[in-house]
C-alpha cells in the first residue's frame, strides 16, 4: 500500500492583501486547510501579521515551480488550463493550481471601505494591458499598451518599436490565463484576432485540436505528431486523457450509441489539404480498436487505400486530395462490436480523368498502374509509361515527392484481396483503366471539307478494342457518328472533330465513373454479406467544405450548396443543445437571433425559379449555352437578396460564409453529363463483363426507361442531371443525419505551402469563416457563453469576500461575490446549478483573484512546506503500521483460503476417483455377464438339441441317456471355465487391439474383398451342406423303402407286423433329427447372412452403431467356422447313429422272423 502526497502550490505575492486580513483555520489541526475544500463558515482563525506598508523581502517573487510541478493535474472543476507565469509578467496562475489553493471565506471584525482593493499601485506599475493591432499586411499582432491619452494610445510592438495609434484600431485581448485554452468558448473576449492567436498558440506547441463549442477544430500539422497510437487510444478509452482529440469525439459517439441506443454521425469538413481524409482514417482507427474482434474491422480499414487510389489526386493545394465525398456507415452488433459497413459516395470529379491543370495529377491509380504493374500484366494490357498517355501528360506532373507509386500499387493489390475482389475482377478493373488511358491516345483524321472525322486505326484503337472486347469498326462508329431517329427513320450523322473529341472524352469519363461506382458496390457486398446488423451505426461523413476560388465552376456550385444544407443542420442541432441546457437550469433566456441561411437554401431549391430548377430546365434545351443560362438567372432571380447578377457569364451568391462568384462556363455540359446511346450501345456489345455492367447501369439510371433498340435520340434517353442526382443524394443524407446524433470536426489548412510550423493568419481566418467556426462560437456565446457551477464559483472566488455572509451555502456566497464586485444583473443569470455570464464578465474577478493569490502564495508556501513535512513523517509512520497489519491479515486470509481449497480439492479428487473406479468396475462386470450369458446360452442350446434327440430317439436305453447328459454337463462346465479364462485373456488383448485399430482401417478395402469372398464361400458351403442334408434325407428314405419291400416279400404279415412294431420308432426318430438339423441350418444361415449384411452397412457408414465392424466380422467368422464344424460333426454322428439303429433294428427283426419261421416249421413237423 503506497500513498502519494499532493502538495499545494505557493502564492507569489501578498502586496495587495489588506493589512488586517485574517484566514479561517481548521478547528481540528489549527492550521490552514490544504485539502482544497474550503469551508465558507466561521471557525477558529489565525491572524497573519502583514506589514502595512506592504514591503516584503526581495525574494518574494522568486520562482516556485518546485512546489507546483505535480499539483492537481487535470482538475475537472477548472475551465482554464495554463502554466504559471512570473510576477514580472501579467499576474496569473494555473487553473489547476488555483483550484488547489482554496482559501476559506475571510471574516473581519470591522467594516472595510471601497479603497481596500484599491491598493494596486504595485500591480499597476508592472501590468501592461495587451491588445491586438492589425498590421499593414493584414495580420494581427499582440501589442502592449504603454500609455493612453484621450482617443490615442502608445503601444509597443514585438520588435520593440513604439507606435501611437487610435483606440479604435485596437481590439481587446484576453488575459494571459486564457492563452492556449482548449475550448474557444472559454475566451472572455471573442473576436477574430483572439481566436487566431489562441489557435496559433496551440498550433506552435503541436496541440492541433481545439474545441469550439460543440465542434472540434483540427489544424493540419503537415508532419507526424505524437498524438496517436495504442497508448493514446487506451488513454481516451479509460478517460485518463481529456484534451480535445479526434479520439475523444469518436469515444463520445461510441458511448452515446451504446448508452442511448441512438445512431451517431461524425461530420468532417474542410477545404482541400486540410486533412479530412486523414481525420476520417483516425476515426476509423479508433472505432476498429474499440469495436474490433470479428475481423471485419481490418476489411473496413483496407477500403481506404482503394478509395484513395481511385478517388484521390494531387492538386495545387493538396498532394492527396479527395475528389469526392463519402459517407461510411459502420454497423455495430448488440455487444458493441463492428459487424459490417456501408460506403456511399457523392459527386466524383469526372472531368479530372480527361483534363488536369498544370502541376496537378489525375487519379493516383493511373500512375500506380503504370509504375507498379508486374511484367505479365503490363504485356497483357500493353501498358506504357505515364508520360506516353495524353490524359496524364497534360500537366507534366507524374510523381509526388516522398510517394512511391509502385509501392502503393502493391498496397492496392493487397487491399483488393482483403475485400474479396477476385483476381479475374482485378484484371478486368485494370483493363478498364488501361482502356481509358488508351482512349485518350486515340486520334481523328478529317475526311471531308465539312470537318467530319473518323478514328485513326493505330495501336491506340486496336488496344482499346482488345481491352473492351469489341471491334475497331464499332469504336469508330461510336466515336465518329451519331444515330438519330426522325419519325420512323434512323439517320446516321457524322461528327466534327470537336464533337468526336467530346464523345471520346465522355466515354472515358463514363467508363471511369462507372468503374468507381462498381468498386464501391463490390466493397459494400464484401462488408455486408453474412454480417449481422442490429440497426445501430456510426456514420463518418468526409465531405468538402466551402470553396471560394478566383474562378468558381459547377463543382464549387454543388459543394457550396451541400455546405449550406449541412450548416442548416448544424444550426438546428446547436440551438437545440443550447436551449435544453438553459431550460434545465431554469434561467430567463430569450431565443437568440442568428443568421439563418434558409433564404440561400430557397434560392437553390425553390421550384420553379430556383438555381437548380433553372439549371435543369436550361439543360434540356439543345440550343442553350452557358450565356443564356446566366441571363436566365439574372432575369428570374434579380430580386432575391442572396443573388447578384454580374456581367457576362458570372453571378454571385451570398452564402452564409461569404459571397462567392460563379462562372457559368461549362455548367450545362457538366450538369447534363451526357453520354450518347451510341456509346452505351458500344459498351453493351462488348464481350468483357464490366462494360456490359456499365451499360446496364447507365440505362437503369435514365430518366425514361429504355425499351427496344438502344439507339434513340438523346432527349429520349437523357438520364437525370448531375445537379438533380446530387440534390437527391443530399436530401437522403440529411434525412439520415437527422436521425443521428451529430459530432462535428472542422479541418483547417494552416498554410498554402503544405509546410509544418507555418501559420498564415489570412488563410486560417478565411477557412474559419467558410467553415462557420466563428459563427458557431458567436452563436454559442450570444447567450451566456461562460458558465460555472455554484460550488465551483464559491470555491474559486469565495476567499475574495471582505465580509462574512449569514448563510454559507455556495449559492449565497456566489451572490455575495457578484454584489461585492458590482456586476450588473443583466450581465449574468443564476440557474438551479450554475451561474451564467455574458462575455468578458469573469475577467474582473479573475484579475482580482490573481493579484490576491500572488500576495499570499509565498506565505502559504512556507507554512504548507512545514506542515507537509510534519504530515509526511506522521503519514509514513502510520502507513508502515497499517501496511503491516493489512499485509498480515491478507496473508492469513489467503493461507486459510489455500487450506480450504486444498482440503476441498482432496475430497473432490477422492470422490471423483472412487466414482470413476466404480463405474469402470460396473462396466466390466456387465460386459463379463453379457459375454458369459451369450456363451453359456449358446452351449446350452447346442447341448439341449443333442440331448433332446437322444431322449426322443433312444427312449429304451435309459442308462446310456443318463450318461450322455452327465458327459455333456461336464463338458459344459469345462467350456464355461475356458470361456471365462478366454474372456480375461480377450480383455487383455482388447487394449492391444485398440492400438492396432488404425492399421485395420487402412486395410478396409482388403477386408471388404475378403468379406465378399467369404460371403461367396459361405453360400457355397451352405449349398454344400444343404445338398449333403438332402442326400442324407434321400438315402434314408430309399433305405426305408427297400427294407419295407424285402420284409413284404418274405412275409406280408410278418413284414406288416414288424413295420408296425419295430420299424416305426427308428424311422420316426431319424426323420425328426433330420428335420431339426434342417431347421437349424435355415435359421443359422439367416442369422449369419443378416449379421454380415449389417456389419457391411456399419463399415460403409450407412448405419450408425457403437461397435467395431472389423472385430465383429472376425468374431462372426469364428462363430460360423465353429458352428459349421460342430454342425458337420453332429450331422456325421447322426448318420452313424441312424445307421447303427437301423442295423440293430433290422437284425432284431430278422431274428424274430427266423424264430417264428422255425417255430412254425417245428410245429408243422410235430403235427
Amino acid at each position: 500500500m503506497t500513498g502519494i502526497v499532493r502538495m499545494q502550490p505557493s502564492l507569489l505575492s501578498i502586496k495587495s492583501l489588506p493589512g488586517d486580513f485574517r484566514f479561517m483555520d481548521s478547528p481540528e489541526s489549527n492550521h490552514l486547510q490544504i485539502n482544497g475544500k474550503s469551508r465558507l463558515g466561521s471557525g477558529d482563525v489565525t491572524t497573519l501579521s502583514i506589514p502595512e506598508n506592504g514591503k516584503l523581502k526581495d525574494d518574494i517573487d522568486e520562482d516556485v515551480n518546485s512546489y507546483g510541478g505535480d499539483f492537481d493535474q487535470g482538475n475537472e472543476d477548472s475551465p482554464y488550463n495554463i502554466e504559471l507565469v512570473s510576477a514580472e509578467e501579467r499576474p496569473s496562475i494555473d487553473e489547476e493550481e488555483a483550484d488547489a489553493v482554496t482559501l476559506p471565506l475571510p471574516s473581519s471584525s470591522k467594516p472595510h471601505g471601497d479603497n481596500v482593493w484599491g491598493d494596486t499601485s504595485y500591480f499597476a506599475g508592472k501590468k501592461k494591458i495587451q491588445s491586438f493591432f492589425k498590421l499593414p499586411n493584414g495580420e494581427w499582432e499582440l501589442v502592449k499598451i504603454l500609455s493612453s491619452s484621450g482617443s490615442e494610445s502608445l503601444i509597443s510592438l514585438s520588435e520593440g518599436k513604439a507606435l501611437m495609434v487610435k483606440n479604435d484600431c485596437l481590439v481587446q485581448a484576453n488575459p494571459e490565463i486564457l492563452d492556449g485554452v482548449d475550448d474557444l468558448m472559454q475566451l472572455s473576449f471573442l473576436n477574430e484576432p483572439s481566436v487566431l492567436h489562441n489557435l496559433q498558440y496551440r498550433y506552435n506547441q503541436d496541440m492541433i485540436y481545439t474545441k469550439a463549442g460543440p465542434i472540434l477544430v483540427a489544424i493540419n500539422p503537415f508532419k507526424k505528431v505524437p498524438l496517436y497510437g495504442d497508448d493514446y487510444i487506451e488513454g481516451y478509452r479509460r478517460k485518463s486523457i481529456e484534451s480535445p482529440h479526434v479520439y475523444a469525439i469518436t469515444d463520445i459517439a461510441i458511448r452515446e450509441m451504446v448508452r442511448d441506443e441512438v445512431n451517431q454521425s461524425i461530420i468532417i469538413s474542410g477545404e482541400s489539404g486540410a486533412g479530412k481524409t486523414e481525420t476520417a482514417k483516425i476515426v476509423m482507427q479508433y472505432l476498429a480498436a474499440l469495436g474490433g474482434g470479428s475481423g471485419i474491422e481490418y476489411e473496413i480499414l483496407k477500403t481506404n487505400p482503394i478509395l484513395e487510389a481511385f478517388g484521390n489526386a494531387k492538386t495545387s493545394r493538396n498532394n492527396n486530395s479527395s475528389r469526392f465525398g463519402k459517407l461510411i456507415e459502420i454497423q455495430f452488433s448488440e455487444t458493441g462490436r463492428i459487424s459490417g459497413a456501408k460506403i456511399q459516395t457523392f459527386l466524383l470529379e469526372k472531368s479530372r480523368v480527361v483534363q488536369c491543370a498544370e502541376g496537378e495529377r489525375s487519379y493516383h491509380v493511373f500512375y500506380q498502374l503504370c509504375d507498379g504493374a508486374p511484367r505479365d500484366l503490363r504485356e497483357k494490357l500493353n501498358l506504357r509509361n505515364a508520360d506516353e498517355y495524353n490524359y496524364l501528360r497534360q500537366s507534366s506532373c507524374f510523381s509526388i515527392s516522398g510517394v512511391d507509386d509502385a509501392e502503393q500499387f502493391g498496397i492496392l493489390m493487397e487491399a483488393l484481396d482483403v475485400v474479396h475482389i477476385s483476381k479475374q475482377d482485378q484484371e478486368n478493373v485494370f483493363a478498364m483503366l488501361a482502356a481509358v488511358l488508351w482512349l485518350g491516345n486515340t486520334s481523328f483524321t478529317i475526311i471531308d471539307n465539312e470537318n467530319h472525322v473518323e478514328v485513326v486505326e493505330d495501336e491506340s484503337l486496336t488496344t482499346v478494342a482488345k481491352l473492351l472486347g469489341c471491334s475497331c469498326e464499332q469504336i469508330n462508329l461510336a466515336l465518329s457518328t451519331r444515330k438519330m431517329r426522325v419519325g420512323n427513320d434512323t439517320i446516321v450523322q457524322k461528327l466534327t472533330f470537336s464533337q468526336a473529341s467530346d464523345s471520346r472524352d465522355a466515354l472515358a469519363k463514363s467508363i471511369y465513373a462507372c468503374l468507381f461506382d462498381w468498386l464501391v458496390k463490390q466493397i459494400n457486398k464484401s462488408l455486408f454479406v453474412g454480417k449481422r446488423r442490429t440497426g445501430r451505426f456510426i456514420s463518418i461523413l468526409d465531405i468538402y467544405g466551402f470553396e471560394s476560388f478566383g474562378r468558381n465552376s459547377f463543382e464549387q456550385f454543388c459543394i457550396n450548396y451541400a455546405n449550406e444544407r449541412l450548416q442548416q443542420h448544424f444550426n438546428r442541432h446547436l440551438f437545440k443543445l443550447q436551449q435544453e441546457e438553459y431550460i434545465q437550469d431554469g434561467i430567463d433566456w430569450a431565443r437568440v437571433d442568428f443568421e439563418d441561411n434558409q433564404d440561400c437554401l430557397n434560392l437553390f431549391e425553390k421550384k420553379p425559379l430556383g438555381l437548380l430548377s433553372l439549371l435543369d430546365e436550361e439543360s434540356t434545351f439543345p440550343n442553350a449555352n452557358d450565356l443564356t443560362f446566366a441571363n436566365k438567372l439574372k432575369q428570374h432571380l434579380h430580386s432575391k437578396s442572396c443573388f447578384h447578377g454580374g456581367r457576362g457569364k458570372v453571378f454571385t451568391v451570398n452564402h452564409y460564409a461569404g459571397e462567392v462568384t460563379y462562372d457559368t462556363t461549362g455548367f450545362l455540359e457538366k450538369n447534363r453529363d451526357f453520354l450518347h446511346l451510341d456509346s452505351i450501345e458500344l459498351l453493351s456489345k462488348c464481350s468483357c463483363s464490366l462494360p456490359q455492367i456499365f451499360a446496364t447501369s447507365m440505362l437503369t439510371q435514365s430518366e425514361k426507361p429504355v425499351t427496344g433498340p438502344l439507339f434513340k435520340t438523346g432527349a429520349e434517353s437523357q438520364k437525370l442531371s448531375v445537379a438533380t442526382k446530387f440534390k437527391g443524394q443530399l436530401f437522403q443524407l440529411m434525412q439520415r443525419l437527422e436521425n443521428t446524433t451529430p459530432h462535428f470536426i472542422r479541418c483547417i489548412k494552416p498554410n498554402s505551402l503544405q509546410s509544418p510550423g507555418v501559420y498564415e493568419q489570412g488563410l486560417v481566418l478565411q477557412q474559419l469563416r467558410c467553415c462557420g467556426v466563428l459563427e458557431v462560437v458567436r452563436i454559442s456565446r450570444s447567450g451566456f457563453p461562460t458558465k460555472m457551477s455554484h460550488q465551483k464559483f464559491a470555491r474559486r472566488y469565495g476567499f475574495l469576500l471582505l465580509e462574512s455572509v449569514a448563510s454559507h451555502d455556495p449559492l449565497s456566497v456566489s451572490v455575495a461575490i457578484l454584489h461585492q464586485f458590482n456586476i450588473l444583473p443583466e450581465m449574468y443569470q443564476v440557474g438551479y446549478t450554475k451561474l451564467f455570464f455574458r462575455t468578458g464578465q469573469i475577467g474582473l474577478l479573475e484579475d482580482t483573484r490573481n493579484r490576491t493569490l500572488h500576495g499570499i502564495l509565498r506565505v502559504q508556501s512556507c507554512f504548507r512546506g512545514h506542515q507537509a513535512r510534519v504530515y509526511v513523517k506522521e503519514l509514513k509512520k502510520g502507513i508502515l503500521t497499517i501496511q503491516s497489519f493489512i499485509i498480515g491479515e491478507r496473508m492469513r486470509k489467503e493461507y486459510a483460503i489455500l487450506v480450504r481449497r486444498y482440503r476441498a480439492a482432496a475430497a473432490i479428487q477422492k470422490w471423483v476417483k472412487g466414482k470413476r473406479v466404480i463405474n469402470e468396475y460396473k462396466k466390466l462386470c456387465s460386459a463379463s455377464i453379457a459375454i458369459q450369458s451369450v456363451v453359456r446360452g449358446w452351449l446350452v442350446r447346442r447341448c439341449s438339441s443333442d440331448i433332446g434327440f437322444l431322449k426322443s430317439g433312444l427312449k429304451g436305453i435309459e442308462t446310456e441317456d443318463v450318461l450322455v447328459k452327465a458327459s455333456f454337463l461336464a463338458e459344459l462346465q469345462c467350456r464355461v471355465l475356458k470361456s471365462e479364462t478366454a474372456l480375461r485373456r480377450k480383455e487383455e488383448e482388447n487394449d492391444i487391439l485398440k492400438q492396432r485399430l488404425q492399421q485395420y482401417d487402412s486395410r478396409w478395402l482388403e477386408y471388404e474383398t475378403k468379406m465378399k469372398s467369404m460371403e461367396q464361400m459361405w453360400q457355397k458351403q451352405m449349398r454344400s451342406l444343404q445338398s449333403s442334408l438332402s442326400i442324407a434325407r434321400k438315402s434314408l428314405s430309399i433305405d426305408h423303402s427297400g427294407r419295407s419291400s424285402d420284409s413284404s416279400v418274405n412275409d406280408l404279415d410278418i413284414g406288416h407286423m414288424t413295420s408296425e412294431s419295430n420299424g416305426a420308432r427308428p424311422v420316426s426318430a431319424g426323420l425328426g433329427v433330420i428335420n431339426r438339423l434342417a431347421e437349424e441350418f435355415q435359421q443359422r444361415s439367416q442369422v449369419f447372412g443378416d449379421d454380415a449384411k449389417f456389419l457391411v452397412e456399419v463399415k460403409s457408414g450407412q448405419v450408425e452403431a457403437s461397435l467395431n465392424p472389423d472385430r465383429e466380422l472376425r468374431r462372426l467368422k469364428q462363430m460360423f467356422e465353429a458352428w459349421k464344424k460342430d454342425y458337420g460333426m453332429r450331422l456325421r454322428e447322426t448318420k452313424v447313429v441312424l445307421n447303427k439303429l437301423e442295423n440293430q433294428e433290422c437284425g432284431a427283426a430278422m431274428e424274430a422272423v427266423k424264430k417264428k419261421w422255425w417255430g412254425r416249421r417245428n410245429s408243422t413237423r410235430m403235427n
Side-chain angles (χ1 to χ4, degrees), residues 70-348:
D70 295 320
F71 299 153
D72 294 340
Q73 296 294 328
N75 191 345
E76 297 180 356
D77 292 336
S78 175
Y80 308 105
N81 225 347
I82 193 65
E83 296 180 355
L84 276 174
V85 295
S86 65
E88 298 299 331
E89 300 177 0
R90 183 180 181 86
S92 62
I93 189 168
D94 193 329
E95 168 64 19
E96 297 172 353
E97 296 178 357
D99 281 345
V101 184
T102 312
L103 296 179
L105 191 66
S107 62
S108 178
S109 58
K110 64 179 181 178
H112 294 269
D114 295 338
N115 60 349
V116 173
W117 292 101
D119 186 13
T120 59
S121 58
Y122 177 81
F123 175 77
K126 291 190 173 183
K127 177 181 178 182
K128 296 180 177 60
I129 301 176
Q130 298 184 118
S131 296
F132 288 104
F133 176 71
K134 194 169 186 179
L135 300 177
N137 60 3
E139 294 189 356
W140 294 92
E141 182 176 348
L142 187 64
V143 299
K144 294 183 178 180
I145 300 178
L146 302 179
S147 62
S148 298
S149 58
S151 61
E152 295 183 345
S153 298
L154 180 64
I155 61 174
S156 173
L157 302 178
S158 58
E159 299 86 358
K161 298 180 180 179
L163 182 66
M164 183 67 70
V165 297
K166 295 183 178 181
N167 294 335
D168 296 339
C169 298
L170 300 177
V171 178
Q172 194 166 5
N174 291 279
E176 291 183 0
I177 188 176
L178 299 179
D179 284 347
V181 293
D182 56 11
D183 192 343
L184 299 179
M185 292 285 294
Q186 298 175 7
L187 296 176
S188 295
F189 303 104
L190 180 64
N191 45 58
E192 289 183 353
S194 296
V195 173
L196 291 173
H197 173 73
N198 191 79
L199 293 178
Q200 184 175 7
Y201 183 92
R202 295 178 60 82
Y203 178 74
N204 292 336
Q205 300 181 15
D206 288 339
M207 294 185 292
I208 61 175
Y209 298 113
T210 305
K211 290 283 288 182
I215 70 174
L216 177 70
V217 177
I219 302 180
N220 193 346
F222 292 113
K223 65 178 181 179
K224 293 183 178 180
V225 291
L227 297 177
Y228 313 102
D230 295 338
D231 294 338
Y232 280 89
I233 291 176
E234 188 66 18
Y236 281 97
R237 186 181 71 86
R238 295 181 177 274
K239 295 294 185 181
S240 58
I241 305 177
E242 297 183 354
S243 58
H245 201 285
V246 174
Y247 290 163
I249 296 293
T250 311
D251 187 77
I252 293 173
I254 294 178
R255 294 179 185 275
E256 290 184 1
M257 180 194 67
V258 175
R259 181 192 64 202
D260 303 332
E261 296 186 355
V262 176
N263 298 326
Q264 308 289 311
S265 60
I266 300 176
I267 303 173
I268 306 171
S269 62
E271 76 165 40
S272 179
K276 301 186 300 298
T277 302
E278 294 300 322
T279 302
K281 289 182 184 178
I282 296 170
V283 172
M284 296 171 64
Q285 176 191 14
Y286 190 83
L287 291 176
L290 265 66
S294 61
I296 190 65
E297 69 278 359
Y298 183 68
E299 296 183 28
I300 295 175
L301 292 177
K302 281 299 181 180
T303 61
N304 289 320
I306 301 175
L307 295 178
E308 287 187 16
F310 286 86
N312 289 26
K314 180 185 183 302
T315 64
S316 59
R317 297 188 175 187
N318 185 8
N319 291 338
N320 188 31
S321 175
S322 297
R323 308 315 301 161
F324 69 104
K326 64 176 178 290
L327 177 69
I328 304 176
E329 180 183 288
I330 300 179
Q331 302 158 2
F332 290 82
S333 63
E334 295 178 353
T335 59
R337 296 297 179 184
I338 296 176
S339 61
K342 182 180 179 181
I343 299 175
Q344 182 181 0
T345 59
F346 307 95
L347 198 64
L348 176 70

Side-chain angles (χ1 to χ4, degrees), residues 3 68 309 370 372 421 461 480 574 631 706 807 865 931-932 949 969:
C370 293
I421 295 180
L461 182 62
S480 61
L574 174 66
N631 294 332
V706 177
S807 177
I931 294 173
Q932 288 178 356
F949 163 73
L969 289 176

Side-chain angles (χ1 to χ4, degrees), residues 6 71 244 264 271 273 440 521 648 872 878 898 1085:
R6 306 291 297 274
F71 299 153
Q264 308 289 311
E271 76 165 40
K521 290 181 181 178
V872 167
L898 289 177
S1085 62

Side-chain angles (χ1 to χ4, degrees), residues 348-364:
L348 176 70
E349 186 184 9
K350 295 191 292 184
S351 60
R352 184 168 292 272
V353 176
V354 298
Q355 59 183 4
C356 295
E358 186 66 29
E360 297 186 353
R361 295 203 319 176
S362 185
Y363 291 104
H364 295 324

